[in-house]
Amino acid sequence: MRGVRTTEHYFTVPLDHGRPGGETLEVFAREYVSADHGDAADSLPWLLFLQGGPGGRGNRATSLGGWMKEAARHFRILMLDQRGTGLSSPVTRQTLPLRGGPAAQAEYLAHFRADSIVADAELIRGVLAGAPWSVFGQSYGGFCALTYLSFAPQGLREVLITGGLAPLDGHPDRVYRATFARVEERNREYFAAYPGDRDRVTEIARHLESVPEYLPTGERLSVRRFQMAGSFLGGNTRFDALHFLLEDAFTTGPEGRCLSDAFLAQVGALVSRAVNPLYALIHESIYGQHTATDWSAWRVLEEYPQFKPEADEPLLTGEMVYPWYFEEDPALVPLRDTAELLAAKADWPALYRPEQLAANTVPAAAAVYRDDIYVDRGLSLETAARVRGLRVWETAEFHHDGISDDGEGIFRRLLGMCRG
């Protein structure tokens, strides 16, 4: 379609790669190849793309644009639906009850982190490529790429990472202390650019406290859930879109001033986890190694009262996950007990091998975005210094969604850094 040939691939993988003869999952991936390559396409090297998240399916591209356009000049691209997402044995409020009760569900979900995703990728590489392949990881996909470098470097030709250098150790609390500070600074930047929106955000918050407003899915919109609109602040391309969301928030009906249907519909789509419940369920666990996360962001929030709904001028929040998500989001309510068990789980295995990364020989390059509100610059550079041979491009030109802004240029630059 539109100059690209696609091929769908399905693979059977173990739920637990430590027990290859046990239960299995189906994993889906879609291959993209530029039609310009003609008969030579099958001889191109492979590039595995690891999506951000966790809980996000692989991109559904209908043409080659952005980073894919540049990558397709050199590679056949494999767009993976990581286990639990898309067509890869999806995890939802509808499918999880088939596992049994909350304890069985939590035990099942313990196999959906980066270590299992990498083991899936290695199995798939053996089927499709045989030889080492290249990996491109965006955000959480970069975390997975570090896990790949730690446990299966023999499968890698080169690694490209954008906005995705995870801390190799330490408690998740330090992640959220860093990112709350970044989000606060980004709020200041936004309200400096759109000073009228400072009063508008406060006005909406105070209105929601006194006037019941309901999302299209039927539940009442709370102030703290509205604050999730701060996810717009994490990007170049979405920063200004927040202003467009807020500008027509209010209208006047028979009963007086109220939030418009258009605004409520947009906010409803923004704050619902119906499309990717796995994100809320295991988000904090992606930082868990030999320790319980114990609702880290919720606890650290106490140190930042400016983000509280009752603050005089409440700030908008970022990608943090809180326990009340499982009380207010209809897609998550049935999974509340499961989420509590995952937050209390203390025996998470290690996701990285610092000694292996310190001895790394795989060419690797990473873009570190100086003002990234999701993956902190300081923690990223700390990790970069511990990966032998990793070349870093630090830039203030882009935010977390850099590859949506200039994916072609970013990919070209990182590939060039890997290849000298």
Side-chain angles (χ1 to χ4, degrees):
M1 51 185 177
R2 305 176 94 185
V4 57
R5 186 189 77 193
T6 67
T7 307
E8 297 178 350
H9 299 275
Y10 294 85
F11 307 91
T12 300
V13 303
L15 169 64
D16 181 352
H17 283 271
R19 300 175 57 199
E23 183 180 353
T24 62
L25 302 174
E26 184 173 71
V27 170
F28 171 80
R30 182 174 278 113
E31 172 189 349
Y32 291 88
V33 180
S34 171
D36 292 343
H37 293 291
D39 294 338
D42 290 343
S43 63
L44 289 171
W46 285 93
L47 173 76
L48 172 68
F49 180 66
L50 295 172
Q51 173 69 292
R57 68 180 187 175
N59 297 341
R60 266 52 177 174
T62 56
S63 62
L64 294 173
W67 71 265
M68 291 184 70
K69 180 179 180 181
E70 177 63 24
R73 295 178 55 223
H74 311 276
F75 300 99
R76 52 206 303 193
I77 301 165
L78 191 68
M79 190 69 67
L80 178 68
D81 279 358
Q82 298 165 15
R83 55 169 57 198
T85 75
L87 298 178
S88 294
S89 299
V91 168
T92 69
R93 66 175 176 83
Q94 297 156 311
T95 62
L96 268 180
L98 298 174
R99 305 299 311 176
Q105 293 174 25
E107 181 180 358
Y108 178 68
L109 292 173
H111 300 292
F112 283 75
R113 300 197 308 161
D115 47 355
S116 297
I117 293 168
V118 167
D120 291 345
E122 267 299 271
L123 187 152
I124 292 168
R125 183 185 66 84
V127 173
L128 290 184
W133 60 8
S134 303
V135 168
F136 178 27
Q138 155 67 12
S139 187
Y140 177 63
F143 292 24
C144 295
L146 285 172
T147 301
Y148 214 144
L149 283 169
S150 296
F151 291 96
Q154 70 280 0
L156 299 171
R157 175 188 177 187
E158 60 208 349
V159 169
L160 289 68
I161 295 173
T162 50
L165 290 179
L168 301 182
D169 45 38
H171 196 276
D173 286 8
R174 72 186 190 121
V175 172
Y176 294 107
R177 288 192 177 96
T179 52
F180 269 121
R182 295 278 180 195
V183 176
E184 181 177 9
E185 178 57 34
R186 189 65 164 160
N187 270 264
R188 290 198 200 99
E189 184 179 348
Y190 177 79
F191 292 128
Y194 294 101
D197 285 356
R198 174 60 278 176
D199 289 342
R200 176 58 58 89
V201 167
T202 304
E203 182 183 13
I204 294 171
R206 299 292 86 90
H207 174 83
L208 288 171
E209 289 173 345
S210 59
V211 179
E213 297 278 8
Y214 296 91
L215 296 175
T217 40
E219 75 275 21
R220 182 174 177 178
L221 175 61
S222 64
V223 178
R224 58 190 183 182
R225 207 158 173 220
F226 158 64
Q227 288 175 276
M228 293 169 63
S231 62
F232 277 99
L233 299 175
N236 290 66
T237 57
R238 287 160 56 84
F239 181 89
D240 301 295
L242 176 58
H243 174 67
F244 300 140
L245 171 69
L246 297 172
E247 69 179 358
D248 61 353
F250 285 99
T251 189
T252 301
E255 298 180 3
R257 193 166 169 78
C258 60
L259 295 178
S260 70
D261 283 347
F263 175 80
L264 290 169
Q266 291 176 80
V267 171
L270 178 69
V271 303
S272 172
R273 289 293 174 195
V275 174
N276 57 347
L278 193 59
Y279 177 93
L281 284 164
I282 69 168
H283 182 264
E284 287 199 350
S285 79
I286 67 177
Y287 300 108
Q289 300 184 90
H290 312 301
T291 187
T293 61
D294 192 25
W295 297 114
S296 177
W298 183 236
R299 288 183 294 97
V300 172
L301 177 63
E302 292 299 316
E303 303 170 23
Y304 295 87
Q306 57 272 42
F307 286 97
K308 294 290 190 72
E310 62 271 19
D312 290 340
E313 293 186 319
L315 299 180
L316 300 171
T317 57
E319 67 168 358
M320 297 78 168
V321 172
Y322 309 115
W324 54 260
Y325 278 21
F326 295 86
E327 301 168 5
E328 297 191 19
D329 187 339
L332 299 178
V333 168
L335 307 176
R336 179 178 178 179
D337 291 343
T338 303
E340 290 288 351
L341 290 172
L342 290 169
K345 181 178 172 63
D347 58 348
W348 294 110
L351 292 168
Y352 312 106
R353 287 179 174 166
E355 67 283 359
Q356 175 61 44
L357 295 174
N360 174 59
T361 59
V362 177
V368 173
Y369 304 130
R370 194 169 299 163
D371 302 308
D372 196 330
I373 69 171
Y374 298 141
V375 181
D376 178 70
R377 166 189 176 269
L379 296 179
S380 295
L381 295 179
E382 174 189 295
T383 294
R386 298 174 64 181
V387 181
R388 181 176 180 268
L390 175 64
R391 305 184 70 181
V392 173
W393 170 39
E394 185 184 350
T395 175
E397 185 178 354
F398 303 104
H399 285 263
H400 194 68
D401 67 346
I403 60 170
S404 297
D405 203 25
D406 183 18
E408 196 171 351
I410 291 172
F411 186 91
R412 184 186 305 116
R413 179 164 185 154
L414 292 179
L415 184 63
M417 290 168 66
C418 277
R419 297 183 175 180

